[in-house]
Amino acid sequence: MIKEYETKLGSVKIDTERTIIFEYGIPGFENLKQFVLLEPEDTYPIMWLASLEDKNVAFPVTFPQLIRNDYQFTLPQDLTEYLELEKPEDAIILSILTIPEKEDEITINLAAPIIVSQKNHKGVQYLIENGEYKIRHLLKEELERSNAILSVQEDGE
C-alpha cells in the first residue's frame, strides 16, 4: 500500500512494505520504530534513514564498504536469528554520517552499523566492540586508507 509521509526531506510517497521496523529503536531515538531508506539520486551514495513518525528525524547514511573496503565484523547469533539472516546478502549494512559545514570534516560511524534485514524488514543498530572501529572516523582519511590498500593490492598482482 502506498502512503504519503512528511519527512525531513519533504513529502514522500512510500510503499508501506519498504518500512523498516526498529523494535528497540535507535540509540537516542528509542521511541521511534518506523523508518524508511530514501535514496535521492542527487545525493547517492549518501542516503537517508528517515523516521516515518517524526518528520524532523533523518540520518544520512551510506554503505561502509564504499568508504572502507576492508570493513567487516561478525554479527552475534541472536541478532542473526532475530533478523532472519541466512547469508550476507540478506542484510543491508549502513553507517551513519555526520555532515558538518566543512566537507573535509565529514565523519562516518564504523563502530555502530545499522543492519537491516531484507527478509523481515527489521533493523538494529549494532555496537561493534573490537576497538578498531570508532564512532567518528574522518571520511577523507578512510577513503585515502582504502585507496592505499587498493594500490598495494594492484601492485602485488
Side-chain angles (χ1 to χ4, degrees):
M1 176 170 72
I2 304 294
K3 192 172 172 186
E4 191 161 346
Y5 291 92
E6 286 300 317
T7 71
K8 193 170 185 172
L9 301 175
S11 182
V12 292
K13 290 183 180 179
I14 303 293
D15 183 341
T16 54
E17 288 185 21
R18 289 186 49 215
T19 302
I20 302 166
I21 304 298
F22 287 82
E23 286 184 49
Y24 306 102
I26 293 173
F29 299 87
E30 288 84 1
N31 60 321
L32 302 176
K33 310 292 186 197
Q34 297 180 32
F35 287 79
V36 67
L37 186 61
L38 301 176
E39 303 175 32
E41 287 182 21
D42 61 332
T43 63
Y44 192 85
I46 296 175
M47 300 163 286
W48 296 86
L49 189 62
S51 171
L52 298 178
E53 299 160 300
D54 184 338
K55 67 179 184 178
N56 297 309
V57 176
F59 304 103
V61 295
T62 195
F63 301 111
Q65 298 86 350
L66 292 177
I67 309 305
R68 186 166 181 162
N69 55 13
D70 61 346
Y71 185 70
Q72 60 183 344
F73 60 91
T74 302
L75 202 58
Q77 186 65 31
D78 60 333
L79 283 181
T80 302
E81 290 172 6
Y82 170 75
L83 295 170
E84 298 177 19
L85 305 176
E86 294 174 14
K87 54 190 181 296
E89 303 82 51
D90 293 341
I92 298 171
I93 298 171
L94 303 166
S95 286
I96 295 177
L97 299 166
T98 302
I99 306 176
E101 284 190 31
K102 292 184 179 178
E103 195 174 293
D104 63 343
E105 294 177 2
I106 296 173
T107 62
I108 184 168
N109 179 344
L110 296 176
I114 303 271
I115 296 107
V116 177
S117 170
Q118 296 199 78
K119 286 188 154 196
N120 63 19
H121 302 281
K122 290 182 181 177
V124 296
Q125 186 170 25
Y126 171 62
L127 181 60
I128 301 170
E129 295 183 20
N130 69 2
E132 180 181 354
Y133 301 129
K134 298 174 184 50
I135 291 179
R136 283 196 161 85
H137 289 264
L138 277 175
L139 192 69
K140 68 177 185 173
E141 288 178 1
E142 288 303 321
L143 288 169
E144 288 168 3
R145 181 186 172 284
S146 287
N147 286 335
I149 290 171
L150 288 174
S151 211
V152 167
Q153 288 174 345
E154 288 172 0
D155 289 346
E157 290 180 5

